[in-house]
Amino acid sequence: MITLILLLFIAAAATTVAGDDILPGQSLSAANPSSKWSSPNNTFSFSFIPNSQPQQNTFYAAVTYNGIPIWIAGGDSAVADSTATLTLLSDGNLRLVNGSTNHIVWQSNTANRGITKASLDDTGNFVLKNDTVSSIWATFDNPTDTIVPGQNFTTGNVLTSGLYSLKLMNSGNLTLRWNDSIVYWTLGLNSSVNTNLTSPTLGLQSIGILSLSDPNLPTSVIMAYSSDYAEGPDIFRFTKLDNDGNLRIYSSSSAGSQNVRWAAVSDQCQVFGYCGNLGICSYNGSNPVCGCPSQNFEPVDVRDTRQGCKRKVEIENCPGNATMLELDNAKFLTYPPELSSQVFFIGISACRLNCLVSGSCIASTSLSDGTGLCYLKVPSFVSGYQSPALPSTSYLKVCGPVSLNPTVGSNKSTRWKLRPWIVVVVVLATLFGLVIGEIGLWYWCCRNSPKLGVMSAQYALLEYASGAPVQFSYKDLQRATKGFKDKLGSGGFGAVYKGILANRTTAAVKQLEGIEQGEKQFRMEVATISSTHHLNLVRLIGFCSEGRHRLLVYEFMKNSSLDTFLFAPEEQLQSGKLLNWECRFNIALGTAKGITYLHEECRDCIVHCDIKPENILLDENYNAKVSDFGLAKLVNPKDHRYRTLTSVRGTRGYLAPEWLANLPITSKSDVYSYGMVLLEIVCGRRNFEVSEKTNRKKFSVWAYEEFDKGNIEAIIDNKVRNHEQMDMEQVRRVIQVSFWCIQEQPSQRPMMGKVVQMLEGVTEIEKPPAPKVSPGTIDGSVAGSSMNMTSTSVSTFAPSSSLQTPKGSSFASGMNVERVSSSLLHSDSV
């Protein structure tokens, strides 16, 4: 007995292979959960996983990433039992067999092809090889329902999931099909691509771009972006055809969670056959639900409404005449190749009657969009969609009489039962209105009472101390700012004034301009900003929203903004305003930590979109605090990555290249802006400044040349170098980080969390590549396009300064740039 247990233990251990070649005779067992073949870095594994469907004690043999299947032996139909084994046979065939019946579930059909071993590499590709280590068969060449980075999907490959499939056409078009016949979604090449393709290949880049390449294309063509494009260093992305017929891009962290970042079909009910034959797809909130057209039908499977419906009485068994069930705001999906043979130009009555009298027609749809089209459906497969937004009426042949689905409030007795509740609601609403009216009358009579003012101040103090955003009236803020007299500065989002609140707290009151959001959306965004708390972020105290008046109230920063210390001539600065290197480094590090919190530690990532010295404020101890975060979304509520160009705002010299190249805007755009600020903290001059000292070159380009020569002294601000001994190793580290941050490609820039580690010296820093001046830009500005530039003063919540713009600068401090174009990038919103 002991010997038998020992042999079983040895056998189990032998089936766990980590990064080594798998030899003929080795196998995996469904009965042994620990048996697996792993990649060298243990990221991917080949093992048996439980079937998530309600089939008891069944399994799939799959290659997985953190438990997420990326390839299944035989696809989702190859279900194995608990006695199954997957074995690499001596003839080179990889075979999945149910041990209880010796039934072959799946095999690779690679017998007698010289295969001597197999391996699972670090990309997730399982390969069968010969003695010369040539690949004879690989999972990447035989995909099931998933495409991962490094995998090439060609015209000879097919993704399948149930009745659904994805194919790549020779033309470069991607198509989703139902039952290998109905094409319900197509993604074609951009009209600007005018080339005959020879061997198109689809691939998913690790940063989340689905692209098409071909020998006849000079560069790969982007087909789709993941919404978290280029974000996160440890995110695994994959494209999967789900069993609901939709193609999606997923992101997964090391914890194994999955998040949808793109879907091919934005309206799930437009997927043909989603609710089965004769099923009707509709929405319950944002979730698609399946139901039957009327009570003349019943579900095929009450446990799974996606299996469709069936008539309770078939048409041929109808004792009387058939009739037509009318479905308002509904359509029966009609896609190629059905479209050509089933479309007619007739009116709504004829559309109904033609189907009723035709023995080959079971349903019809009449469009009310002005086209006059009528679609007739033959008895094969009918997929329905019903929504209040659909401009169409559909008819379905049934055996009469028609029995409609019940609707809420259609029964008279139900309405009578609800009446007592209605009375109760009306009475309570009336009492509530009287109470509110009495309170309003009392306030109107006593609003000028000194006692009431004291109570109001105490209440404001309690509300402020609670951390929740205080709602101020416009008159309160007029009083606090003395009629908006003491102006601190102005910027792209509006002017800022100094104010004294009722609790004697000094605050900065910002009058917002260009707000596009409604009352509810504005309050939601304010709630998001006010819930964002960090030592290096300016705190939002409260807000005002009265009609067209939209104001934000922030904590007051005594020492103004960073630009007043960096860019003024030395003779204009008092000795107390000469920032030493230690102070500058702490400001740089604090700013990085504040931006890191916005990008990586908030519940939702907040992209600032306007990082610059004017938006870095200093408190009484010269601690850095980032301001104006979240305001870009207040002014333009659409996603910053997909928007009309007329809504894009930024500041000259700090805009990342993707702003100007019509690419998605992500947190990496903030990293670029921070890199420019970091360089300015070292050098004490604007990054776009051009002078004789820089040989008329953009300062960042000149600074890299000096850094490459080892001449760091030339880069450092004279105001710092002349007043103290500096930690040159720390200075070198900061300069290197700045050059990494301003790389042209977002994928080359580090995440802000990594920036903090590099600044602190926790992570070693490699020598950065030279920064490039992007095509279409001249010293950081847009070339050949229309620009609206407005010179502004300090765009902060801090005291205004008398300092002037340094001589030699070609533009004033804090200059805003607005790109104007009529082209539309995307219409997607957050």
Side-chain angles (χ1 to χ4, degrees):
M1 184 64 181
I2 295 175
T3 304
L4 178 61
I5 293 174
L6 184 61
L7 289 173
L8 289 173
F9 177 79
I10 294 172
T15 59
T16 302
V17 179
D20 297 328
D21 287 332
I22 296 106
L23 302 177
Q26 290 186 279
S27 63
L28 301 175
S29 172
N32 183 7
S34 63
S35 68
K36 62 181 179 180
W37 298 327
S38 299
S39 61
N41 61 5
N42 289 314
T43 302
F44 298 91
S45 63
F46 202 158
S47 63
F48 280 92
I49 60 173
N51 182 8
S52 59
Q53 299 299 320
Q55 294 174 312
Q56 297 297 322
N57 209 25
T58 55
F59 299 86
Y60 290 119
V63 178
T64 62
Y65 170 85
N66 282 340
I68 301 171
I70 63 168
W71 184 86
I72 299 175
D76 54 11
S77 62
V79 180
D81 62 26
S82 59
T83 65
T85 56
L86 180 73
T87 308
L88 180 60
L89 303 177
S90 57
D91 61 2
N93 204 10
L94 186 66
R95 179 177 293 175
L96 175 64
V97 178
N98 280 332
S100 58
T101 60
N102 286 327
H103 169 68
I104 298 175
V105 179
W106 171 85
Q107 58 184 350
S108 61
N109 295 319
T110 52
N112 303 317
R113 294 177 61 181
I115 294 171
T116 58
K117 53 189 169 184
S119 66
L120 179 62
D121 64 28
D122 286 337
T123 64
N125 190 18
F126 186 80
V127 186
L128 302 181
K129 309 172 184 177
N130 58 19
D131 282 332
T132 60
V133 199
S134 297
S135 173
I136 305 299
W137 182 95
T139 55
F140 276 14
D141 299 328
N142 298 271
T144 51
D145 62 1
T146 304
I147 303 172
V148 299
Q151 181 175 356
N152 290 326
F153 186 80
T154 65
T155 54
N157 299 138
V158 181
L159 294 189
T160 58
S161 183
L163 292 173
Y164 298 103
S165 60
L166 172 75
K167 291 185 177 181
L168 176 62
M169 312 304 292
N170 290 325
S171 62
N173 287 357
L174 278 175
T175 61
L176 286 174
R177 301 166 183 260
W178 174 86
N179 204 25
D180 202 27
S181 58
I182 304 296
V183 179
Y184 58 88
W185 177 83
T186 301
L187 179 62
L189 294 176
N190 191 296
S191 59
S192 63
V193 180
N194 188 19
T195 305
N196 292 323
L197 306 184
T198 55
S199 55
T201 300
L202 184 72
L204 177 68
Q205 299 179 29
S206 60
I207 60 174
I209 294 178
L210 196 64
S211 59
L212 187 79
S213 58
D214 187 88
N216 288 347
L217 292 173
T219 59
S220 59
V221 177
I222 296 175
M223 306 292 280
Y225 285 101
S226 167
S227 64
D228 63 347
Y229 153 80
E231 293 181 9
D234 301 321
I235 295 178
F236 175 72
R237 298 177 177 88
F238 58 95
T239 303
K240 182 178 181 181
L241 177 61
D242 289 315
N243 60 10
D244 61 4
N246 213 336
L247 182 71
R248 297 179 174 91
I249 295 178
Y250 288 89
S251 289
S252 175
S253 62
S254 57
S257 60
Q258 301 179 59
N259 297 298
V260 177
R261 300 304 185 185
W262 173 80
V265 186
S266 58
D267 187 345
Q268 184 60 45
C269 284
Q270 297 280 12
V271 173
F272 190 88
Y274 175 73
C275 287
N277 190 24
L278 298 176
I280 303 293
C281 181
S282 59
Y283 283 92
N284 180 12
S286 60
N287 299 317
V289 293
C290 296
C292 292
S294 72
Q295 291 189 337
N296 300 83
F297 298 81
E298 60 184 0
V300 173
D301 185 348
V302 294
R303 296 169 299 178
D304 185 3
T305 56
R306 284 196 54 204
Q307 294 301 313
C309 301
K310 59 183 179 181
R311 291 182 175 85
K312 292 180 179 178
V313 179
E314 295 295 335
I315 300 298
E316 57 269 20
N317 299 328
C318 186
N321 293 328
T323 186
M324 300 299 284
L325 166 67
E326 182 175 330
L327 299 172
D328 293 327
N329 305 111
K331 69 177 181 180
F332 294 114
L333 302 181
T334 305
Y335 295 111
E338 294 181 304
L339 193 59
S340 58
S341 61
Q342 296 176 220
V343 61
F344 301 90
F345 290 91
I346 54 179
I348 185 171
S349 298
C351 188
R352 171 184 174 275
L353 290 174
N354 282 3
C355 185
L356 179 62
V357 299
S358 172
S360 62
C361 177
I362 62 168
S364 63
T365 293
S366 177
L367 299 185
S368 303
D369 58 358
T371 61
L373 292 178
C374 169
Y375 298 106
L376 301 183
K377 306 291 291 184
V378 296
S380 55
F381 194 97
V382 177
S383 179
Y385 178 18
Q386 191 166 28
S387 168
L390 292 177
S392 57
T393 303
S394 291
Y395 301 94
L396 185 60
K397 191 177 291 185
V398 297
C399 181
V402 171
S403 179
L404 298 177
N405 289 326
T407 58
V408 177
S410 62
N411 188 288
K412 290 184 179 181
S413 62
T414 304
R415 290 201 298 267
W416 279 106
K417 290 177 183 178
L418 290 176
R419 282 192 174 183
W421 293 102
I422 296 174
V423 173
V424 171
V425 170
V426 171
V427 171
L428 291 176
T430 303
L431 291 174
F432 182 78
L434 291 173
V435 171
I436 294 299
E438 187 175 350
I439 293 173
L441 181 62
W442 173 81
Y443 178 79
W444 177 261
C445 297
C446 307
R447 67 188 186 281
N448 295 321
S449 169
K451 186 179 293 186
L452 180 63
V454 173
M455 291 173 61
S456 176
Q458 290 174 344
Y459 173 75
L461 179 61
L462 283 172
E463 197 172 6
Y464 178 38
S466 70
V470 181
Q471 182 172 353
F472 296 94
S473 69
Y474 185 68
K475 286 186 177 180
D476 289 339
L477 296 183
Q478 270 187 321
R479 190 182 305 114
T481 58
K482 297 179 180 180
F484 301 101
K485 289 184 178 179
D486 191 358
K487 188 174 182 180
L488 300 176
S490 61
F493 299 109
V496 185
Y497 301 88
K498 184 178 180 180
I500 307 295
L501 303 181
N503 61 0
R504 303 302 176 189
T505 300
T506 304
V509 181
K510 191 176 192 73
Q511 280 188 320
L512 295 176
E513 299 172 357
I515 299 299
E516 300 178 5
Q517 294 184 328
E519 177 77 13
K520 183 178 179 181
Q521 291 77 13
F522 176 77
R523 289 174 179 268
M524 289 175 64
E525 295 302 333
V526 166
T528 299
I529 295 173
S530 65
S531 64
T532 307
H533 299 294
H534 190 270
L535 179 66
N536 298 111
L537 297 179
V538 177
R539 183 186 172 193
L540 178 68
I541 297 173
F543 69 100
C544 170
S545 179
E546 290 183 7
R548 61 184 180 86
H549 298 299
R550 302 288 175 86
L551 301 95
L552 298 178
V553 182
Y554 289 90
E555 62 176 321
F556 182 77
M557 294 289 105
K558 183 178 179 181
N559 277 318
S560 186
S561 55
L562 180 60
D563 62 304
T564 63
F565 295 89
L566 292 182
F567 307 129
E570 187 173 346
E571 59 271 13
Q572 293 187 19
L573 285 172
Q574 303 171 3
S575 59
K577 288 198 170 186
L578 290 172
L579 298 179
N580 58 34
W581 172 250
E582 182 182 1
C583 188
R584 292 191 185 211
F585 179 77
N586 290 334
I587 290 171
L589 185 60
T591 303
K593 289 180 178 179
I595 303 172
T596 300
Y597 180 82
L598 294 176
H599 288 183
E600 304 173 24
E601 298 171 18
C602 285
R603 181 180 61 182
D604 298 314
C605 173
I606 297 177
V607 182
H608 190 290
C609 295
D610 199 16
I611 301 293
K612 58 184 178 181
E614 288 79 2
N615 284 335
I616 299 171
L617 309 186
L618 306 177
D619 65 11
E620 62 275 10
N621 297 317
Y622 294 93
N623 294 315
K625 291 178 181 276
V626 179
S627 68
D628 275 11
F629 57 89
L631 297 191
K633 192 174 180 182
L634 269 176
V635 174
N636 179 30
K638 293 183 179 180
D639 192 327
H640 301 302
R641 293 164 301 204
Y642 310 111
R643 54 153 66 102
T644 56
L645 297 184
T646 54
S647 65
V648 176
R649 292 178 181 267
T651 301
R652 180 180 183 270
Y654 305 93
L655 287 173
E658 51 265 31
W659 283 103
L660 312 176
N662 292 356
L663 293 174
I665 303 305
T666 68
S667 60
K668 291 295 185 72
S669 305
D670 282 352
V671 175
Y672 182 93
S673 303
Y674 173 79
M676 286 300 187
V677 172
L678 196 58
L679 190 59
E680 292 176 340
I681 289 174
V682 177
C683 68
R685 65 180 74 187
R686 291 288 184 183
N687 69 78
F688 51 80
E689 182 179 323
V690 175
S691 65
E692 295 302 330
K693 179 180 178 180
T694 64
N695 298 324
R696 309 304 299 174
K697 296 179 181 178
K698 184 180 176 183
F699 186 81
S700 58
V701 176
W702 174 84
Y704 186 87
E705 293 176 354
E706 296 300 316
F707 165 76
D708 199 33
K709 298 174 186 175
N711 188 14
I712 294 179
E713 287 282 337
I715 305 173
I716 301 172
D717 187 359
N718 288 331
K719 296 191 293 291
V720 178
R721 190 177 55 194
N722 293 343
H723 288 83
E724 64 163 338
Q725 294 296 320
M726 301 175 63
D727 183 347
M728 296 306 296
E729 183 55 37
Q730 191 178 70
V731 175
R732 178 185 295 275
R733 191 161 67 242
V734 171
I735 293 173
Q736 284 182 300
V737 173
S738 71
F739 289 134
W740 273 116
C741 290
I742 62 175
Q743 291 299 307
E744 183 178 26
Q745 295 298 324
S747 59
Q748 288 186 287
R749 303 171 205 156
M751 298 291 287
M752 284 305 303
K754 189 66 174 279
V755 168
V756 171
Q757 293 178 357
M758 291 192 291
L759 289 176
E760 292 177 332
V762 176
T763 303
E764 291 187 9
I765 309 174
E766 297 180 2
K767 183 180 178 181
K772 299 178 182 178
V773 178
S774 303
T777 65
I778 301 176
D779 299 331
S781 61
V782 185
S785 65
S786 175
M787 292 187 296
N788 178 18
M789 298 186 178
T790 307
S791 178
T792 63
S793 59
V794 186
S795 175
T796 59
F797 319 128
S800 59
S801 173
S802 61
L803 299 177
Q804 302 298 317
T805 304
K807 295 180 180 179
S809 296
S810 54
F811 287 88
S813 170
M815 183 163 294
N816 289 337
V817 177
E818 182 175 3
R819 296 185 295 143
V820 181
S821 172
S822 61
S823 64
L824 183 67
L825 296 182
H826 291 273
S827 60
D828 300 352
S829 59
V830 176

